[in-house]
Amino acid sequence: MPENEETVQVETEPQGTEPAPEAEQASTDPWADPAAARKEIEKLRKESAGWRTKYQETKPLAQKAKELEDAKKSDQERLTEQLTVAEQRIQSFRQRAVRSEVKALAAAEFADPEDAHVFLDLTSYVDDDGDVDTAAIQQDLKDLLKRKPHLAKPADTSPRAPKADRTQGSSGNGNRTPNDPAAVFADFMSQGLARGH
């Protein structure tokens, strides 16, 4: 009932005396005054330290609750969870093995062996024992190249031997310039031989 009386009093207060906008802003904004801001920061730091302390106190309790929850589970539930995790790991290892096998087999014919496994269903190449069916992978890679020939290596990938270009360098074809040292020496020798020296 006292709450109602306060509400009535607030409603019946005269509304003619409104505080100035600057005074209102200063009273609601603790960051406007440096001293008030410093007090607000210290207050927030203390609150934060209190929450950190409470967190550190409840952390061991949460760990104990988890242990109790695990203890309540039956052995079968725990073993089922462990089996599920182990099966997920095995599946991941199988996928890596198949992906590696596909890349190795695709390296001979594909321009980029990484592209090959994107277009294939990797789960279909592993049996229950974990063996990889390489024959099926090879057949599917051939079929993939028939459907998507742009994935194949270019036909001629061997390095080309350079062709000889007789117009380059000095050779015996008479394309020497008079300033060429070889041409000057050759002229000197031919003139010396012609004179008999």
Side-chain angles (χ1 to χ4, degrees):
M1 197 76 177
E3 293 175 8
N4 291 343
E5 290 175 7
E6 287 179 14
T7 308
V8 172
Q9 289 176 354
V10 169
E11 291 177 357
T12 58
E13 286 183 5
Q15 298 197 8
T17 58
E18 292 184 16
E22 293 176 4
E24 181 180 326
Q25 184 180 7
S27 65
T28 59
D29 184 14
W31 307 110
D33 179 33
R38 185 170 304 279
K39 287 179 184 177
E40 186 68 21
I41 289 171
E42 290 301 319
K43 176 183 151 193
L44 292 173
R45 282 183 180 166
K46 287 179 184 176
E47 286 179 15
S48 176
W51 286 113
R52 280 193 301 268
T53 304
K54 286 181 182 179
Y55 170 73
Q56 292 300 329
E57 290 171 357
T58 58
K59 201 164 133 179
L61 295 174
Q63 181 63 29
K64 285 183 181 179
K66 172 85 168 107
E67 290 172 3
L68 288 174
E69 183 181 317
D70 288 343
K72 286 181 183 177
K73 291 181 181 177
S74 68
D75 288 338
Q76 183 179 3
E77 288 175 332
R78 276 183 277 176
L79 291 174
T80 303
E81 286 179 5
Q82 291 174 356
L83 179 64
T84 303
V85 169
E87 286 175 347
Q88 290 172 349
R89 282 185 172 167
I90 290 170
Q91 185 65 21
S92 173
F93 289 135
R94 285 181 178 171
Q95 291 303 311
R96 285 186 204 161
V98 171
R99 191 176 304 123
S100 297
E101 190 71 27
V102 168
K103 286 180 193 177
L105 293 172
E109 297 180 22
F110 281 74
D112 185 4
E114 294 281 334
D115 292 339
H117 73 85
V118 174
F119 296 101
L120 301 177
D121 179 20
L122 301 181
T123 59
S124 63
Y125 302 118
V126 182
D127 61 12
D128 292 335
D129 295 330
D131 295 327
V132 179
D133 188 1
T134 56
I137 292 173
Q138 288 174 334
Q139 182 60 44
D140 287 350
L141 288 173
K142 287 179 184 176
D143 293 342
L144 179 61
L145 285 177
K146 287 178 185 174
R147 286 180 311 187
K148 299 187 179 288
H150 63 278
L151 296 176
K153 283 184 177 179
D156 183 29
T157 58
S158 61
R160 296 185 304 166
K163 293 183 180 179
D165 186 3
R166 296 199 180 262
T167 62
Q168 294 182 352
S170 62
S171 63
N173 62 3
N175 290 336
R176 296 184 186 145
T177 60
N179 295 334
D180 184 22
V184 172
F185 181 73
D187 287 340
F188 174 75
M189 291 300 290
S190 61
Q191 289 174 3
L193 288 173
R195 292 186 206 153
H197 291 275

